[in-house]
Amino acid sequence: SQGQFPLTQNVTVIEGETATLTCRVDQNDNTSLQWSNPAQQTLYFDDKKALRDNRIELLRASWHELTIRVTDVSLSDEGQYTCSLFTMPVKTSKAFLTVLGVPESPQITGFNSPVMEGDRMELTCKTSGSKPAADIRWFKNDKEVKDVKYVKEEDANRKTFTVSSTMNFRADRGDDGAVVSCRVEHESLHAKPQIAKQVLEIHYIPSVKIIPSTLWPEEGQSITLICESKGKPLPDPVLWTKDGGELPDPERMIVNGRELTINVLNKTDNGTYRCEAENPIGLNSAEYVLIIHGCYHKVSWEGNILDGKYKNYECKDNDVS
């Protein structure tokens, strides 16, 4: 009966799912097959159930195969199962049942909104119940953050693990609105990681700059100075001054929101214009030096070319300053 030998395979199953244990014999002269659990308790002897456990069912029983099913598998079901062929002597084959613990949904802690620019931030992502220990990866706007700390601790049941990962960084205005996510990866998740997300809110002092509507302001024309201010909370309204004092001619110098428009420019408007923007974090300002240029008109030149040079040329429009 050299061909009479039971054959089994190791099985890996996720906690709560179903495990199928199969024992096959290529050649069998009506010899009984038996499955027993890691505690050496008989589960099935041929087609006869031996252990009262409603989760254990018979799928197939013949001289060549004994297949059983364990539903709602728990971590305590893990271990070495034995298929026995009752020849003389008894021949056995081992099958190890591995039960994977599914990690709990992760949580991000440590974020207190809002955060001031320049403050040090420490975010921690934690998940429990994984077996083996899950992996945690951090991302900021889908770009992975590598410089993180990882800690693994055994749970009270001494079977599963709690893992946590901490990310440290200094808050920057460029991070405002960024989405930080921690991804828990584990073989029980079928390549679909569990993800926790946190949207960052960073408060920062305003940045200010002045944009003129023209780079060559001329006498008699108008100019609009736009005060572009960015900050969080948004600074509103802005304050316009000239040479350190109030605007001298409010009838021609009209403020509309963040814009200052000066109509009918003249050389008395020359000077330094300042725009100030303030929010609860602080105050910032920008300056623009206005220089009014004289009136320029389009001119044409006439003359005779002699030896490659103009001779006897004159300007046909004398209204040029």
Side-chain angles (χ1 to χ4, degrees), residues 106-117:
Q107 291 184 338
I108 297 176
T109 58
F111 182 75
N112 296 313
S113 180
V115 176
M116 302 303 165
E117 184 177 32

Side-chain angles (χ1 to χ4, degrees), residues 179-217:
V179 178
V180 171
S181 59
C182 108
R183 302 184 188 181
V184 174
E185 298 179 348
H186 192 262
E187 52 190 297
S188 68
L189 300 177
H190 303 299
K192 295 181 180 180
Q194 295 177 335
I195 301 176
K197 295 183 178 181
Q198 176 66 63
V199 179
L200 301 183
E201 182 180 2
I202 313 298
H203 283 193
Y204 53 93
I205 192 171
S207 62
V208 185
K209 67 177 179 179
I210 297 175
I211 303 173
S213 60
T214 178
L215 298 178
W216 195 263

